[in-house]
Amino acid sequence: MALDIPFDNSYGRLPDRFYTRMAPAPVRQPGLIKVNHALAEALGLDPAALESAEGVAVLAGNAVPEGADPLAQVYAGHQFGGWSPQLGDGRAILLGEVVDRDGVRRDIQLKGSGPTPYSRMGDGRAWLGPVLREYIVSEAMHALGVPTTRALAAVSTGEIVLRERPLPGAVLTRVAASHIRVGTFQYFAARQDEEALGALVQHAIARHYPGAETALDLLDGVIARQAALVATWLGLGFIHGVMNTDNTSISGETIDYGPCAYMDTYSPGKVFSSIDHGGRYAYNRQPDIMVWNLAQLATALLPVMGMEREAAIEAATASVHRFPELFGQTWLRVFRAKLGLAVAEDGDADLIQSLMDRMAAGQADFTNTFRALGTEKARDQFVDPAAFDTWDEVWRARLSREGATPEDRRDARDAANPWVIPRNHRIEEAIGAAVNGDFAPFERLLEVLARPYAEQADAAHLTRPPNADEAVLQTFCGT
Ligand code: AMP
Ligand code: MG
């Protein structure tokens, strides 16, 4: 069957200064690595057509499909707190948008698709490692139930990409509710382009916040979704790693998986990014950093709030100040569920914090400790199991005040505590094998991570924390 993608491209109808219209740069020899069948079907696409020679040519950027309107989006952003007045899709091309089976409009973007006017010093390409990493981690995030961009496909290019050493090139096809970022608003705000800002507000509202009417409503919507998102990340031990304003999505999806990680040993100040020297994006700083990013969005929106400047500042400030409460609500809900507490009690936050403190002191594995609560295995996670036992006693007393049966409580906890997450050493292992032409570990990881809450006895090795010699200490802004 011929490839038929029912494009309907709304971003390309925005003014010219929002993007550079251009086709992806062809690659030497497109090769299929993987098409995500379930996602293709959800988008109303035929997986077999995507896997055909014609489909692979499209996924590699060698052919532009009928109805596409390829373009590179422009944006700006604060990177590690420093202002970059012009960023943009430096290694990505938005092919266009498709309305999926649920009626949700989705971007289809090629990442690693060649240089654009926004490439700065970069080559516009990606190597296999970050492509597989983003594929694995974003699909795991989706399976864990967290809003995220997704991976539709990965293809090889038959080209070499020069990083620290020559590496095989690849292209990821990313699917997102949109690629509008806090930095997209900042780009136009910095240029005092109120007309563009107004158009972007309308576009973002229509796409993501249908109930909203004003720029302030939009801000409130983004704040609520990002507060919930960051709290959900914390519940999974996730560290985004590069929470720049250009990597903060207006839709509330997790986006731009670079130096990210799900923690092994719980350590609240943990950082993974090789360039995050000050710990700006450490695990426990993520809520504060998101407030900072949302304050930048609020600032960018001031001119189009339709209020006097003082009133706009007051309203926007009040909105941003609601973040801690919104974040706290979700955080408490998430961690109550992890502890199996269905009924709220006053001391719950302290009970949770007390466990976390002991986990940090006891070098407990984040995922395995929560999953093991209520079993003999929980105390084994701690260097000093006795420190856990005193908490365990208090928790069990607290649990006994809940109505549910132990079995139901166990099932509820298992639904809130994943059995498996993508551990960095396993991702590195899969990438290493793939560089040598063996994609079996990559496929196996995807298969197991598609059901992260289900115990899968034959995949127990994927739940094991790294030995000292396997631990991945840093990940790189993988480009
Ligand atoms: P990131 O922090 O990975 O989201 O990237 C920040 C900015 O750098 C974005 O504007 C990217 O498009 C750009 N960029 C990253 N890697 C490359 C590359 N290999 N070639 C061109 N631009 C890149
Ligand atoms: Mg980015």
Side-chain angles (χ1 to χ4, degrees):
M1 197 186 128
L3 180 65
D4 174 27
I5 307 180
F7 283 111
D8 175 43
N9 308 318
S10 66
Y11 207 82
R13 294 195 280 270
L14 286 163
D16 287 350
R17 56 196 190 281
F18 280 68
Y19 44 76
T20 298
R21 189 160 265 129
M22 60 180 290
V27 304
R28 201 170 67 85
Q29 194 180 58
L32 176 67
I33 295 173
K34 178 93 186 156
V35 164
N36 184 337
H37 283 225
L39 179 56
E41 278 157 17
L43 291 168
L45 310 182
D46 175 12
L50 286 170
E51 286 172 342
S52 71
E54 183 197 0
V56 173
V58 165
L59 298 171
N62 284 30
V64 173
E66 179 90 23
D69 181 15
L71 54 86
Q73 295 178 319
V74 69
Y75 49 85
H78 281 95
Q79 301 182 301
F80 290 91
W83 172 240
S84 299
Q86 194 199 292
L87 299 166
D89 291 335
R91 56 172 154 164
I93 292 286
L94 175 65
L95 281 184
E97 300 153 29
V98 167
V99 177
D100 73 12
R101 295 238 157 113
D102 296 328
V104 180
R105 178 179 293 277
R106 305 268 178 206
D107 278 4
I108 300 186
Q109 189 204 60
L110 302 184
K111 195 170 172 185
S113 52
T116 76
Y118 316 122
S119 297
R120 299 183 290 173
M121 306 302 280
D123 58 4
R125 292 298 182 190
W127 76 273
L128 187 60
V131 166
L132 298 187
R133 165 178 282 276
E134 177 159 343
Y135 198 124
I136 294 164
V137 182
S138 67
E139 283 303 301
M141 197 62 117
H142 171 74
L144 286 162
V146 184
T148 177
T149 66
R150 297 192 60 190
L152 177 62
V155 296
S156 54
T157 62
E159 294 178 0
I160 291 297
V161 176
L162 285 177
R163 294 295 180 258
E164 303 83 43
R165 59 195 168 101
L167 291 159
V171 178
L172 179 78
T173 304
R174 178 160 76 177
V175 173
S178 83
H179 286 82
I180 306 168
R181 306 143 189 274
V182 168
T184 317
F185 285 90
Q186 289 182 286
Y187 175 83
F188 294 111
R191 283 159 187 73
Q192 302 183 336
D193 186 345
E194 289 182 24
E195 196 186 296
L197 270 181
L200 187 57
V201 167
Q202 288 316 314
H203 180 87
I205 286 177
R207 225 166 147 173
H208 302 303
Y209 299 92
E213 285 176 11
T214 65
L216 187 61
D217 295 342
L218 173 65
L219 176 64
D220 286 334
V222 178
I223 290 170
R225 284 194 202 167
Q226 288 291 350
L229 181 67
V230 175
T232 311
W233 288 351
L234 295 200
L236 294 168
F238 181 72
I239 303 167
H240 181 283
V242 58
M243 283 175 71
N244 295 333
T245 59
D246 54 303
N247 293 336
T248 300
S249 163
I250 295 300
S251 74
E253 287 180 340
T254 314
I255 190 171
D256 278 1
Y257 294 88
C260 61
Y262 292 83
M263 259 190 285
D264 297 302
T265 301
Y266 174 60
S267 170
K270 184 88 186 133
V271 170
F272 277 92
S273 169
S274 58
I275 58 172
D276 191 358
H277 304 298
R280 180 178 173 89
Y281 300 140
Y283 171 82
N284 60 354
R285 293 194 67 185
Q286 295 182 109
D288 286 351
I289 285 294
M290 187 53 76
V291 171
W292 195 91
N293 289 351
L294 293 167
Q296 306 312 312
L297 176 64
T299 305
L301 288 172
L302 290 177
V304 289
M305 290 222 191
M307 291 180 231
E308 292 296 328
R309 190 163 173 86
E310 286 308 311
I313 290 172
E314 209 169 298
T317 304
S319 291
V320 174
H321 284 181
R322 276 196 291 276
F323 182 99
E325 193 194 331
L326 293 167
F327 166 82
Q329 285 165 1
T330 303
W331 187 89
L332 203 50
R333 186 172 52 70
V334 163
F335 279 89
R336 265 197 186 113
K338 291 178 80 67
L339 263 53
L341 308 177
V343 185
E345 281 190 19
D346 276 348
D348 291 347
D350 290 341
L351 183 68
I352 296 162
Q353 196 54 54
S354 161
L355 173 62
M356 307 281 283
D357 291 346
R358 284 160 213 248
M359 283 169 61
Q363 297 166 35
D365 182 83
F366 187 93
T367 304
N368 292 350
T369 300
F370 280 106
R371 181 71 181 202
L373 288 179
T375 75
E376 271 303 306
K377 275 193 248 157
R379 68 192 306 277
D380 300 341
Q381 308 294 323
F382 294 75
V383 170
D384 171 17
F388 171 76
D389 293 339
T390 52
W391 179 86
D392 194 41
E393 239 173 81
V394 178
W395 174 62
R396 284 171 191 273
R398 167 69 181 82
L399 266 190
S400 67
R401 297 198 289 277
E402 300 262 328
T405 65
E407 292 72 31
D408 287 349
R409 285 203 298 258
R410 174 82 220 218
D411 289 349
R413 280 203 309 278
D414 284 355
N417 295 307
W419 179 74
V420 62
I421 40 101
R423 292 183 189 268
N424 255 336
H425 66 297
R426 294 304 185 191
I427 297 174
E428 292 302 320
E429 185 179 67
I431 291 170
V435 168
N436 293 319
D438 175 12
F439 287 86
F442 166 68
E443 294 282 352
R444 182 69 182 135
L445 260 184
L446 288 181
E447 188 184 10
V448 173
L449 289 165
R451 295 186 299 129
Y453 295 97
E455 192 166 330
Q456 300 163 64
D458 55 347
H461 63 294
L462 297 179
T463 70
R464 183 176 60 71
N467 299 325
D469 62 332
E470 294 171 321
V472 177
L473 302 177
Q474 291 185 334
T475 54
F476 296 86
C477 287
T479 56

